[in-house]
Amino acid sequence: MSGILDRAKAHYDGLDRQKIKVPEWGSPKSPLIITFSPLTVAQRRKIYRADDKGKSPDGGTVCVRAVILKACDEAGQRLFDDMAEHDLTHSVDADVVGRIADAILFRNAPVGSSVEETIEAEKNG
């Protein structure tokens, strides 16, 4: 069994970082490049976790959590810490945050998947 687990871990370690261009957050001559690695089960759990009262997060919360947790610069350093949640929720264009989160959350998802559908699948699966 450990051989299979070793191969599974090696597979994850060998996956390429993905990139998304965010022109709105870059300079006039060059868009910001955000990189991210694939989600682990623990990271997915953190993004979709319920609050203290057991309420599942809405799509906006899921998007913001994904961006905070996974958005990195080209050197692989996180762009946001956990304290950025309020600003990303209340002071940033939701469409841009959503586009970045879609890339992070749905890199292999079927076309037409939405954050809400994924939340439902996570709750029921």
Side-chain angles (χ1 to χ4, degrees), residues 84-118:
E85 185 168 352
H86 183 271
D87 285 337
L88 286 171
T89 301
H90 297 283
S91 303
V92 177
D93 185 341
D95 290 339
V96 176
V97 172
R99 191 172 74 244
I100 298 164
D102 281 350
I104 293 167
L105 294 168
F106 307 126
R107 68 181 192 97
N108 291 322
V111 174
S113 295
S114 70
V115 171
E116 284 76 16
E117 290 168 339
T118 302

Side-chain angles (χ1 to χ4, degrees), residues 4 21 41 62 65 100:
I4 294 169
K21 292 181 181 180
V41 172
V62 168
R65 287 178 181 172
I100 298 164

